[in-house]
mmCIF file of all heavy atoms in Angstrom:
data_model
loop_
_atom_site.group_PDB
_atom_site.id
_atom_site.type_symbol
_atom_site.label_atom_id
_atom_site.label_comp_id
_atom_site.label_asym_id
_atom_site.label_seq_id
_atom_site.Cartn_x
_atom_site.Cartn_y
_atom_site.Cartn_z
ATOM 1 N N SER J 1 104.307 81.997 108.840
ATOM 2 C CA SER J 1 103.289 81.678 107.836
ATOM 3 C C SER J 1 102.356 82.861 107.617
ATOM 4 O O SER J 1 102.138 83.671 108.512
ATOM 5 C CB SER J 1 102.451 80.470 108.295
ATOM 6 O OG SER J 1 103.232 79.312 108.442
ATOM 7 N N LEU J 2 101.825 82.920 106.413
ATOM 8 C CA LEU J 2 100.766 83.853 106.062
ATOM 9 C C LEU J 2 99.799 83.152 105.123
ATOM 10 O O LEU J 2 100.203 82.247 104.380
ATOM 11 C CB LEU J 2 101.311 85.102 105.368
ATOM 12 C CG LEU J 2 101.976 86.178 106.212
ATOM 13 C CD1 LEU J 2 102.573 87.249 105.295
ATOM 14 C CD2 LEU J 2 101.006 86.798 107.187
ATOM 15 N N ARG J 3 98.566 83.618 105.141
ATOM 16 C CA ARG J 3 97.569 83.109 104.200
ATOM 17 C C ARG J 3 96.990 84.275 103.429
ATOM 18 O O ARG J 3 96.352 85.157 104.002
ATOM 19 C CB ARG J 3 96.452 82.366 104.931
ATOM 20 C CG ARG J 3 95.471 81.661 103.991
ATOM 21 C CD ARG J 3 94.305 81.090 104.749
ATOM 22 N NE ARG J 3 93.517 80.151 103.955
ATOM 23 C CZ ARG J 3 92.202 80.058 104.047
ATOM 24 N NH1 ARG J 3 91.528 80.832 104.870
ATOM 25 N NH2 ARG J 3 91.562 79.165 103.307
ATOM 26 N N LEU J 4 97.238 84.269 102.135
ATOM 27 C CA LEU J 4 96.695 85.296 101.262
ATOM 28 C C LEU J 4 95.350 84.851 100.705
ATOM 29 O O LEU J 4 95.139 83.663 100.444
ATOM 30 C CB LEU J 4 97.639 85.586 100.099
ATOM 31 C CG LEU J 4 99.064 85.981 100.461
ATOM 32 C CD1 LEU J 4 99.845 86.333 99.183
ATOM 33 C CD2 LEU J 4 99.111 87.127 101.440
ATOM 34 N N SER J 5 94.467 85.814 100.529
ATOM 35 C CA SER J 5 93.169 85.539 99.927
ATOM 36 C C SER J 5 92.931 86.487 98.764
ATOM 37 O O SER J 5 93.411 87.631 98.774
ATOM 38 C CB SER J 5 92.052 85.704 100.959
ATOM 39 O OG SER J 5 92.186 84.775 102.014
ATOM 40 N N CYS J 6 92.189 86.001 97.802
ATOM 41 C CA CYS J 6 91.816 86.819 96.650
ATOM 42 C C CYS J 6 90.324 86.627 96.422
ATOM 43 O O CYS J 6 89.884 85.513 96.118
ATOM 44 C CB CYS J 6 92.608 86.408 95.421
ATOM 45 S SG CYS J 6 92.086 87.193 93.890
ATOM 46 N N ALA J 7 89.582 87.707 96.584
ATOM 47 C CA ALA J 7 88.135 87.651 96.392
ATOM 48 C C ALA J 7 87.788 88.162 95.002
ATOM 49 O O ALA J 7 88.222 89.247 94.604
ATOM 50 C CB ALA J 7 87.435 88.496 97.447
ATOM 51 N N ALA J 8 87.000 87.378 94.289
ATOM 52 C CA ALA J 8 86.599 87.733 92.933
ATOM 53 C C ALA J 8 85.147 88.179 92.898
ATOM 54 O O ALA J 8 84.313 87.671 93.662
ATOM 55 C CB ALA J 8 86.794 86.545 91.996
ATOM 56 N N SER J 9 84.857 89.120 92.012
ATOM 57 C CA SER J 9 83.482 89.577 91.835
ATOM 58 C C SER J 9 83.294 90.049 90.411
ATOM 59 O O SER J 9 84.254 90.278 89.682
ATOM 60 C CB SER J 9 83.162 90.717 92.815
ATOM 61 O OG SER J 9 83.988 91.833 92.562
ATOM 62 N N GLY J 10 82.039 90.157 90.019
ATOM 63 C CA GLY J 10 81.720 90.718 88.719
ATOM 64 C C GLY J 10 81.540 89.711 87.609
ATOM 65 O O GLY J 10 81.136 90.082 86.502
ATOM 66 N N SER J 11 81.864 88.459 87.883
ATOM 67 C CA SER J 11 81.730 87.448 86.848
ATOM 68 C C SER J 11 81.681 86.078 87.506
ATOM 69 O O SER J 11 82.133 85.920 88.643
ATOM 70 C CB SER J 11 82.913 87.520 85.882
ATOM 71 O OG SER J 11 82.761 86.603 84.828
ATOM 72 N N THR J 12 81.169 85.102 86.796
ATOM 73 C CA THR J 12 81.168 83.733 87.312
ATOM 74 C C THR J 12 82.601 83.254 87.503
ATOM 75 O O THR J 12 83.410 83.307 86.586
ATOM 76 C CB THR J 12 80.445 82.801 86.334
ATOM 77 O OG1 THR J 12 79.111 83.282 86.130
ATOM 78 C CG2 THR J 12 80.388 81.379 86.889
ATOM 79 N N PHE J 13 82.903 82.814 88.709
ATOM 80 C CA PHE J 13 84.288 82.542 89.120
ATOM 81 C C PHE J 13 84.801 81.190 88.644
ATOM 82 O O PHE J 13 85.962 81.064 88.242
ATOM 83 C CB PHE J 13 84.345 82.605 90.648
ATOM 84 C CG PHE J 13 85.682 82.267 91.242
ATOM 85 C CD1 PHE J 13 86.737 83.156 91.155
ATOM 86 C CD2 PHE J 13 85.882 81.068 91.906
ATOM 87 C CE1 PHE J 13 87.968 82.862 91.721
ATOM 88 C CE2 PHE J 13 87.100 80.759 92.473
ATOM 89 C CZ PHE J 13 88.147 81.664 92.381
ATOM 90 N N SER J 14 83.963 80.183 88.662
ATOM 91 C CA SER J 14 84.433 78.807 88.508
ATOM 92 C C SER J 14 85.168 78.501 87.195
ATOM 93 O O SER J 14 86.071 77.672 87.200
ATOM 94 C CB SER J 14 83.274 77.829 88.696
ATOM 95 O OG SER J 14 82.237 78.102 87.786
ATOM 96 N N PRO J 15 84.869 79.146 86.083
ATOM 97 C CA PRO J 15 85.602 78.786 84.852
ATOM 98 C C PRO J 15 87.026 79.329 84.780
ATOM 99 O O PRO J 15 87.800 78.905 83.929
ATOM 100 C CB PRO J 15 84.763 79.417 83.736
ATOM 101 C CG PRO J 15 83.457 79.746 84.343
ATOM 102 C CD PRO J 15 83.739 80.032 85.773
ATOM 103 N N TYR J 16 87.357 80.261 85.672
ATOM 104 C CA TYR J 16 88.648 80.926 85.573
ATOM 105 C C TYR J 16 89.774 80.058 86.117
ATOM 106 O O TYR J 16 89.636 79.412 87.154
ATOM 107 C CB TYR J 16 88.659 82.242 86.347
ATOM 108 C CG TYR J 16 87.892 83.359 85.687
ATOM 109 C CD1 TYR J 16 86.520 83.482 85.853
ATOM 110 C CD2 TYR J 16 88.554 84.308 84.900
ATOM 111 C CE1 TYR J 16 85.826 84.507 85.241
ATOM 112 C CE2 TYR J 16 87.851 85.341 84.302
ATOM 113 C CZ TYR J 16 86.501 85.426 84.482
ATOM 114 O OH TYR J 16 85.806 86.446 83.875
ATOM 115 N N ALA J 17 90.896 80.080 85.425
ATOM 116 C CA ALA J 17 92.142 79.618 86.012
ATOM 117 C C ALA J 17 92.683 80.768 86.853
ATOM 118 O O ALA J 17 92.662 81.927 86.422
ATOM 119 C CB ALA J 17 93.132 79.231 84.928
ATOM 120 N N MET J 18 93.167 80.448 88.048
ATOM 121 C CA MET J 18 93.608 81.492 88.979
ATOM 122 C C MET J 18 95.079 81.318 89.308
ATOM 123 O O MET J 18 95.561 80.194 89.481
ATOM 124 C CB MET J 18 92.791 81.420 90.268
ATOM 125 C CG MET J 18 91.301 81.572 90.080
ATOM 126 S SD MET J 18 90.835 83.183 89.391
ATOM 127 C CE MET J 18 91.403 84.287 90.694
ATOM 128 N N GLY J 19 95.762 82.437 89.429
ATOM 129 C CA GLY J 19 97.178 82.377 89.743
ATOM 130 C C GLY J 19 97.575 83.414 90.770
ATOM 131 O O GLY J 19 96.918 84.443 90.921
ATOM 132 N N TRP J 20 98.629 83.105 91.471
ATOM 133 C CA TRP J 20 99.317 84.074 92.335
ATOM 134 C C TRP J 20 100.687 84.350 91.717
ATOM 135 O O TRP J 20 101.418 83.418 91.386
ATOM 136 C CB TRP J 20 99.492 83.533 93.744
ATOM 137 C CG TRP J 20 98.244 83.561 94.565
ATOM 138 C CD1 TRP J 20 97.391 82.525 94.792
ATOM 139 C CD2 TRP J 20 97.708 84.677 95.272
ATOM 140 N NE1 TRP J 20 96.349 82.928 95.603
ATOM 141 C CE2 TRP J 20 96.525 84.252 95.916
ATOM 142 C CE3 TRP J 20 98.107 86.009 95.430
ATOM 143 C CZ2 TRP J 20 95.743 85.093 96.688
ATOM 144 C CZ3 TRP J 20 97.336 86.846 96.206
ATOM 145 C CH2 TRP J 20 96.166 86.400 96.823
ATOM 146 N N TYR J 21 100.976 85.625 91.567
ATOM 147 C CA TYR J 21 102.263 86.083 91.068
ATOM 148 C C TYR J 21 102.884 86.979 92.125
ATOM 149 O O TYR J 21 102.204 87.471 93.023
ATOM 150 C CB TYR J 21 102.084 86.874 89.769
ATOM 151 C CG TYR J 21 101.663 86.045 88.571
ATOM 152 C CD1 TYR J 21 100.370 85.539 88.463
ATOM 153 C CD2 TYR J 21 102.558 85.774 87.537
ATOM 154 C CE1 TYR J 21 99.992 84.779 87.368
ATOM 155 C CE2 TYR J 21 102.177 85.025 86.428
ATOM 156 C CZ TYR J 21 100.890 84.531 86.360
ATOM 157 O OH TYR J 21 100.521 83.785 85.273
ATOM 158 N N ARG J 22 104.169 87.219 92.002
ATOM 159 C CA ARG J 22 104.832 88.155 92.907
ATOM 160 C C ARG J 22 105.881 88.951 92.168
ATOM 161 O O ARG J 22 106.432 88.498 91.164
ATOM 162 C CB ARG J 22 105.454 87.423 94.094
ATOM 163 C CG ARG J 22 106.616 86.516 93.751
ATOM 164 C CD ARG J 22 107.046 85.723 94.990
ATOM 165 N NE ARG J 22 108.178 84.837 94.708
ATOM 166 C CZ ARG J 22 108.649 83.939 95.572
ATOM 167 N NH1 ARG J 22 108.082 83.809 96.777
ATOM 168 N NH2 ARG J 22 109.665 83.165 95.243
ATOM 169 N N GLN J 23 106.128 90.137 92.702
ATOM 170 C CA GLN J 23 107.155 90.994 92.142
ATOM 171 C C GLN J 23 107.945 91.617 93.276
ATOM 172 O O GLN J 23 107.399 92.392 94.071
ATOM 173 C CB GLN J 23 106.553 92.073 91.254
ATOM 174 C CG GLN J 23 107.579 92.879 90.497
ATOM 175 C CD GLN J 23 106.961 93.696 89.377
ATOM 176 O OE1 GLN J 23 105.748 93.907 89.333
ATOM 177 N NE2 GLN J 23 107.777 94.151 88.447
ATOM 178 N N ALA J 24 109.205 91.267 93.333
ATOM 179 C CA ALA J 24 110.114 91.833 94.322
ATOM 180 C C ALA J 24 110.729 93.108 93.750
ATOM 181 O O ALA J 24 110.789 93.281 92.520
ATOM 182 C CB ALA J 24 111.188 90.823 94.669
ATOM 183 N N PRO J 25 111.212 93.999 94.616
ATOM 184 C CA PRO J 25 111.813 95.242 94.133
ATOM 185 C C PRO J 25 112.943 94.975 93.150
ATOM 186 O O PRO J 25 113.837 94.168 93.408
ATOM 187 C CB PRO J 25 112.329 95.891 95.410
ATOM 188 C CG PRO J 25 111.466 95.355 96.493
ATOM 189 C CD PRO J 25 111.158 93.943 96.081
ATOM 190 N N GLY J 26 112.878 95.630 92.005
ATOM 191 C CA GLY J 26 113.922 95.491 91.008
ATOM 192 C C GLY J 26 113.885 94.217 90.194
ATOM 193 O O GLY J 26 114.791 93.966 89.386
ATOM 194 N N LYS J 27 112.844 93.420 90.397
ATOM 195 C CA LYS J 27 112.754 92.149 89.680
ATOM 196 C C LYS J 27 111.465 92.081 88.869
ATOM 197 O O LYS J 27 110.533 92.836 89.095
ATOM 198 C CB LYS J 27 112.817 90.980 90.660
ATOM 199 C CG LYS J 27 114.139 90.859 91.396
ATOM 200 C CD LYS J 27 114.202 89.575 92.199
ATOM 201 C CE LYS J 27 115.553 89.413 92.874
ATOM 202 N NZ LYS J 27 115.629 88.150 93.647
ATOM 203 N N GLN J 28 111.456 91.145 87.930
ATOM 204 C CA GLN J 28 110.259 90.944 87.116
ATOM 205 C C GLN J 28 109.211 90.163 87.890
ATOM 206 O O GLN J 28 109.525 89.412 88.820
ATOM 207 C CB GLN J 28 110.625 90.198 85.830
ATOM 208 C CG GLN J 28 111.439 91.005 84.844
ATOM 209 C CD GLN J 28 111.608 90.300 83.504
ATOM 210 O OE1 GLN J 28 111.641 89.074 83.439
ATOM 211 N NE2 GLN J 28 111.688 91.070 82.426
ATOM 212 N N ARG J 29 107.965 90.357 87.487
ATOM 213 C CA ARG J 29 106.883 89.602 88.090
ATOM 214 C C ARG J 29 107.026 88.126 87.695
ATOM 215 O O ARG J 29 107.326 87.808 86.542
ATOM 216 C CB ARG J 29 105.536 90.134 87.610
ATOM 217 C CG ARG J 29 104.338 89.604 88.370
ATOM 218 C CD ARG J 29 103.048 90.318 87.960
ATOM 219 N NE ARG J 29 103.092 91.744 88.283
ATOM 220 C CZ ARG J 29 102.033 92.542 88.184
ATOM 221 N NH1 ARG J 29 100.864 92.057 87.769
ATOM 222 N NH2 ARG J 29 102.143 93.818 88.489
ATOM 223 N N GLU J 30 106.818 87.240 88.664
ATOM 224 C CA GLU J 30 106.957 85.820 88.398
ATOM 225 C C GLU J 30 105.755 85.050 88.929
ATOM 226 O O GLU J 30 105.123 85.455 89.909
ATOM 227 C CB GLU J 30 108.246 85.264 89.031
ATOM 228 C CG GLU J 30 108.275 85.313 90.539
ATOM 229 C CD GLU J 30 109.506 84.648 91.127
ATOM 230 O OE1 GLU J 30 110.339 84.108 90.381
ATOM 231 O OE2 GLU J 30 109.617 84.662 92.384
ATOM 232 N N LEU J 31 105.486 83.924 88.286
ATOM 233 C CA LEU J 31 104.407 83.061 88.730
ATOM 234 C C LEU J 31 104.820 82.335 90.005
ATOM 235 O O LEU J 31 105.908 81.772 90.081
ATOM 236 C CB LEU J 31 104.073 82.031 87.641
ATOM 237 C CG LEU J 31 103.037 80.981 88.016
ATOM 238 C CD1 LEU J 31 101.665 81.607 88.213
ATOM 239 C CD2 LEU J 31 102.975 79.897 86.941
ATOM 240 N N VAL J 32 103.938 82.349 90.998
ATOM 241 C CA VAL J 32 104.174 81.630 92.244
ATOM 242 C C VAL J 32 103.415 80.301 92.238
ATOM 243 O O VAL J 32 103.980 79.244 92.499
ATOM 244 C CB VAL J 32 103.729 82.468 93.453
ATOM 245 C CG1 VAL J 32 103.867 81.680 94.738
ATOM 246 C CG2 VAL J 32 104.528 83.772 93.511
ATOM 247 N N ALA J 33 102.126 80.365 91.935
ATOM 248 C CA ALA J 33 101.288 79.170 91.956
ATOM 249 C C ALA J 33 100.085 79.401 91.059
ATOM 250 O O ALA J 33 99.645 80.538 90.862
ATOM 251 C CB ALA J 33 100.837 78.846 93.370
ATOM 252 N N PHE J 34 99.537 78.297 90.555
ATOM 253 C CA PHE J 34 98.477 78.357 89.567
ATOM 254 C C PHE J 34 97.511 77.218 89.834
ATOM 255 O O PHE J 34 97.942 76.110 90.179
ATOM 256 C CB PHE J 34 99.121 78.205 88.178
ATOM 257 C CG PHE J 34 98.197 78.408 87.025
ATOM 258 C CD1 PHE J 34 97.887 79.671 86.591
ATOM 259 C CD2 PHE J 34 97.648 77.325 86.344
ATOM 260 C CE1 PHE J 34 97.065 79.875 85.504
ATOM 261 C CE2 PHE J 34 96.816 77.515 85.261
ATOM 262 C CZ PHE J 34 96.529 78.796 84.834
ATOM 263 N N ILE J 35 96.207 77.500 89.687
ATOM 264 C CA ILE J 35 95.211 76.454 89.853
ATOM 265 C C ILE J 35 94.193 76.580 88.731
ATOM 266 O O ILE J 35 93.663 77.664 88.473
ATOM 267 C CB ILE J 35 94.547 76.510 91.257
ATOM 268 C CG1 ILE J 35 93.609 75.326 91.461
ATOM 269 C CG2 ILE J 35 93.844 77.835 91.509
ATOM 270 C CD1 ILE J 35 93.193 75.128 92.922
ATOM 271 N N THR J 36 93.918 75.478 88.072
ATOM 272 C CA THR J 36 92.975 75.496 86.956
ATOM 273 C C THR J 36 91.538 75.461 87.474
ATOM 274 O O THR J 36 91.287 75.254 88.665
ATOM 275 C CB THR J 36 93.213 74.298 86.035
ATOM 276 O OG1 THR J 36 92.845 73.093 86.720
ATOM 277 C CG2 THR J 36 94.668 74.208 85.588
ATOM 278 N N SER J 37 90.607 75.617 86.556
ATOM 279 C CA SER J 37 89.206 75.532 86.939
ATOM 280 C C SER J 37 88.869 74.145 87.491
ATOM 281 O O SER J 37 87.965 74.001 88.320
ATOM 282 C CB SER J 37 88.316 75.855 85.742
ATOM 283 O OG SER J 37 88.569 74.966 84.671
ATOM 284 N N GLY J 38 89.612 73.148 87.075
ATOM 285 C CA GLY J 38 89.377 71.784 87.545
ATOM 286 C C GLY J 38 90.135 71.413 88.802
ATOM 287 O O GLY J 38 89.974 70.303 89.321
ATOM 288 N N GLY J 39 90.969 72.341 89.293
ATOM 289 C CA GLY J 39 91.675 72.109 90.543
ATOM 290 C C GLY J 39 93.107 71.621 90.410
ATOM 291 O O GLY J 39 93.777 71.392 91.420
ATOM 292 N N SER J 40 93.600 71.477 89.197
ATOM 293 C CA SER J 40 95.006 71.105 89.030
ATOM 294 C C SER J 40 95.892 72.284 89.400
ATOM 295 O O SER J 40 95.549 73.429 89.114
ATOM 296 C CB SER J 40 95.279 70.676 87.592
ATOM 297 O OG SER J 40 94.512 69.538 87.254
ATOM 298 N N THR J 41 97.034 71.978 90.013
ATOM 299 C CA THR J 41 97.910 73.038 90.511
ATOM 300 C C THR J 41 99.309 72.925 89.929
ATOM 301 O O THR J 41 99.749 71.843 89.500
ATOM 302 C CB THR J 41 97.997 72.990 92.040
ATOM 303 O OG1 THR J 41 98.496 71.703 92.443
ATOM 304 C CG2 THR J 41 96.651 73.223 92.680
ATOM 305 N N ASN J 42 99.988 74.058 89.952
ATOM 306 C CA ASN J 42 101.379 74.114 89.512
ATOM 307 C C ASN J 42 102.081 75.169 90.354
ATOM 308 O O ASN J 42 101.470 76.185 90.719
ATOM 309 C CB ASN J 42 101.454 74.484 88.031
ATOM 310 C CG ASN J 42 102.841 74.299 87.460
ATOM 311 O OD1 ASN J 42 103.557 73.391 87.864
ATOM 312 N ND2 ASN J 42 103.216 75.158 86.530
ATOM 313 N N TYR J 43 103.361 74.921 90.675
ATOM 314 C CA TYR J 43 104.094 75.811 91.567
ATOM 315 C C TYR J 43 105.457 76.169 90.996
ATOM 316 O O TYR J 43 106.103 75.358 90.326
ATOM 317 C CB TYR J 43 104.296 75.144 92.931
ATOM 318 C CG TYR J 43 103.016 74.885 93.690
ATOM 319 C CD1 TYR J 43 102.351 73.674 93.562
ATOM 320 C CD2 TYR J 43 102.475 75.858 94.521
ATOM 321 C CE1 TYR J 43 101.171 73.430 94.248
ATOM 322 C CE2 TYR J 43 101.299 75.623 95.221
ATOM 323 C CZ TYR J 43 100.650 74.410 95.076
ATOM 324 O OH TYR J 43 99.481 74.177 95.760
ATOM 325 N N ASN J 44 105.878 77.359 91.312
ATOM 326 C CA ASN J 44 107.264 77.760 91.084
ATOM 327 C C ASN J 44 108.144 76.842 91.937
ATOM 328 O O ASN J 44 107.809 76.551 93.085
ATOM 329 C CB ASN J 44 107.430 79.228 91.491
ATOM 330 C CG ASN J 44 108.789 79.784 91.160
ATOM 331 O OD1 ASN J 44 109.818 79.237 91.539
ATOM 332 N ND2 ASN J 44 108.786 80.905 90.437
ATOM 333 N N ASP J 45 109.247 76.412 91.375
ATOM 334 C CA ASP J 45 110.123 75.487 92.106
ATOM 335 C C ASP J 45 110.554 76.059 93.454
ATOM 336 O O ASP J 45 110.768 75.317 94.415
ATOM 337 C CB ASP J 45 111.363 75.162 91.274
ATOM 338 C CG ASP J 45 111.066 74.194 90.142
ATOM 339 O OD1 ASP J 45 109.991 73.567 90.153
ATOM 340 O OD2 ASP J 45 111.917 74.078 89.233
ATOM 341 N N SER J 46 110.682 77.366 93.541
ATOM 342 C CA SER J 46 111.183 77.989 94.765
ATOM 343 C C SER J 46 110.191 77.903 95.930
ATOM 344 O O SER J 46 110.576 78.130 97.077
ATOM 345 C CB SER J 46 111.534 79.452 94.510
ATOM 346 O OG SER J 46 110.370 80.209 94.225
#
């Protein structure tokens, strides 16, 4: 297991929808997980 963190600064954070993406060597960047300002989430099937 690992826990990634993303710290935001420079603007009010709460209105933003936030996402984690990943890019493997030789592949396109893909969405991993997404969370809206209201807390709804969505995940890559993988």
Side-chain angles (χ1 to χ4, degrees):
S1 298
L2 283 174
R3 187 187 194 216
L4 304 184
S5 297
C6 172
S9 62
S11 184
T12 302
F13 176 74
S14 57
Y16 286 84
M18 302 298 297
W20 284 99
Y21 290 73
R22 67 186 180 187
Q23 188 166 16
K27 295 188 177 181
Q28 290 188 329
R29 191 172 297 189
E30 65 175 358
L31 175 67
V32 175
F34 187 81
I35 186 166
T36 68
S37 59
S40 298
T41 59
N42 191 34
Y43 295 92
N44 186 306
D45 285 346
S46 67

